[in-house]
Amino acid sequence: MANSKGKRRRFGAVRKLPSGRFQARYQGPDGLTRSAPETFASQTDADRWLVRKEAEILDGKWKNPDDKVLFGVYADAWFKDRDYAATTCERNGSALRLHILPTFAGVVLSEITTPQIRRWRADLLESGVGEPTVAKAY
């Protein structure tokens, strides 16, 4: 849809609200239209926010703001869906229970980062957990 100057934005939309502030909206990779969590004092601020949001999407770093699944809930469901042999089930279940869930069970899945994983691995090794066990948990 064209704006008042007759030009169409390439990504997202900005509109002026009756309050005089500006609202930024965009279509996420999931197909839903999402609004910025706040309004902006100027159109330039709203434009900049949209540019950053588009960059997140293009870089694959966009996180669904509605996605708040805890790692522990996801891991339990994932583990139950596996068809492991008895010994593999015991080994992987043990690694999950003893080494992974104590650190990550209460963390939102989408918020776990590579540096957190590296720190977790280093902490396991520093605490005396054997390299083969750490490797299997990793």
Side-chain angles (χ1 to χ4, degrees), residues 47-107:
D47 288 336
R48 287 180 181 151
W49 185 88
L50 280 172
V51 167
R52 286 192 298 273
K53 194 55 65 176
E54 182 181 23
E56 284 178 18
I57 292 169
L58 293 173
D59 292 342
K61 296 178 181 177
W62 181 81
K63 295 179 183 172
N64 183 341
D66 299 332
D67 192 10
K68 302 294 182 196
V69 176
L70 296 179
F71 176 82
V73 173
Y74 174 82
D76 288 340
W78 181 87
F79 190 74
K80 288 175 184 170
D81 287 343
R82 300 291 163 263
D83 188 23
Y84 290 132
T87 54
T88 304
C89 184
E90 178 57 34
R91 182 191 68 219
N92 292 352
S94 175
L96 184 63
R97 191 175 55 258
L98 298 174
H99 303 297
I100 302 170
L101 289 179
T103 302
F104 295 109
V107 180

Side-chain angles (χ1 to χ4, degrees), residues 14-29:
V14 175
R15 69 177 180 149
K16 189 171 185 177
L17 299 173
S19 65
R21 296 187 58 85
F22 293 84
Q23 179 186 44
R25 294 180 299 176
Y26 69 99
Q27 186 172 8

Side-chain angles (χ1 to χ4, degrees), residues 99 120-122 124-126 128-138:
H99 303 297
W120 162 78
R121 183 182 177 278
L124 284 179
L125 291 170
E126 288 172 10
V129 177
E131 179 68 37
T133 303
V134 173
K136 288 178 178 114
Y138 183 72

